Amino acid sequence: MKIFDTETNQRLEKDVKNILTTIGDDVSRDGLLETPARVSRAYAEIFAHTGERIFQDYKVFSTESDTDIVIVENIPFYSMCEHHLLPFFGTVDIAYVPNHKIIGLSKLPRLVDWSARRPSVQESLTTLVADEVTRIVEPKGVAVNITARHMCMEMRGINRPGTQTNTSVYRGVLKTDALLRQQFMQRVIR
């Protein structure tokens, strides 16, 4: 988790108090007394990887085996929409066709967490995950599918609870080989 310095915490807490006052609430009432500090701590966690350009928490292994496809599915994630600073959340499915390198399987959920802990939109999040898998293992192909619910659509705007959005990125043989792409899609499209 990112830790904000004292100055950043104080500025954020002041801003939270301003928001609460602006919307007409009383920042001195019992229920809100600790809210600015709580929000500061929450934002440190939620936005922990904002500004980081590359994922570094991984290990790559050489392999001679000729696996057709590696699929890790249903990786849960939570992120914040950069347009409204409201949550969006769901699952990420990642597939890649190894090219003499594989990544430790537990690192793919960590990559998803790293990618999601910043303001973003789902389309950019999908691309970021695909970019990092491509950079790290240099696969013959990669596919990423994200299925998510967006609070900016459910609790405001069109107010449509339960609406899901799917985004996908296909690269290399997972873009050009219809059978491999179909194998991935059959596993992950619910």
Side-chain angles (χ1 to χ4, degrees):
M1 174 172 73
K2 178 186 268 185
I3 304 295
F4 292 142
D5 61 35
T6 303
E7 181 182 333
T8 302
N9 278 323
Q10 289 172 345
R11 192 172 57 231
L12 186 53
E13 288 177 28
K14 180 181 175 191
D15 292 342
V16 170
K17 285 180 184 178
N18 286 336
I19 290 170
L20 291 169
T21 301
T22 300
I23 64 170
D25 216 326
D26 176 6
V27 295
S28 65
R29 71 178 174 85
D30 284 346
L32 293 180
L33 288 175
E34 297 178 30
T35 297
R38 285 188 194 106
V39 170
S40 182
R41 288 191 304 271
Y43 277 16
E45 183 176 348
I46 292 166
F47 299 117
H49 299 293
T50 301
E52 294 178 12
R53 300 291 176 237
I54 61 170
F55 178 64
Q56 298 179 5
D57 184 18
Y58 64 89
K59 183 163 178 115
V60 172
F61 303 93
S62 296
T63 183
E64 296 304 316
S65 64
D66 192 18
T67 304
D68 286 340
I69 191 169
V70 175
I71 301 174
V72 178
E73 54 187 297
N74 293 318
I75 304 167
F77 81 94
Y78 303 88
S79 193
M80 294 289 268
C81 168
E82 66 185 28
H83 296 155
H84 301 99
L85 288 182
L86 290 172
F88 69 100
F89 60 93
T91 58
V92 179
D93 308 298
I94 302 171
Y96 71 95
V97 177
N99 188 16
H100 306 294
K101 285 197 244 180
I102 57 173
I103 188 171
L105 292 177
S106 69
K107 303 309 181 185
L108 292 174
R110 287 185 184 176
L111 168 60
V112 169
D113 285 344
W114 175 85
S115 301
R117 295 200 177 263
R118 65 191 76 227
S120 188
V121 293
Q122 184 172 333
E123 296 85 347
S124 297
L125 180 58
T126 309
T127 300
L128 179 58
V129 172
D131 288 347
E132 288 300 294
V133 171
T134 300
R135 179 185 66 79
I136 293 165
V137 295
E138 301 171 342
K140 295 176 186 172
V142 65
V144 176
N145 181 75
I146 297 181
T147 303
R149 292 176 55 189
H150 294 253
M151 291 302 99
C152 57
M153 288 176 48
E154 292 194 30
M155 63 187 289
R156 59 153 305 278
I158 64 168
N159 291 290
R160 294 297 183 264
T163 303
Q164 293 187 331
T165 301
N166 281 289
T167 52
S168 299
V169 169
Y170 301 97
R171 300 208 175 125
V173 296
L174 280 159
K175 185 171 189 167
T176 60
D177 185 322
L179 289 176
L180 277 176
R181 189 173 59 255
Q182 181 180 13
Q183 183 181 353
F184 173 70
M185 291 171 60
Q186 285 176 336
R187 294 279 313 184
V188 304
I189 301 300
R190 295 148 188 75

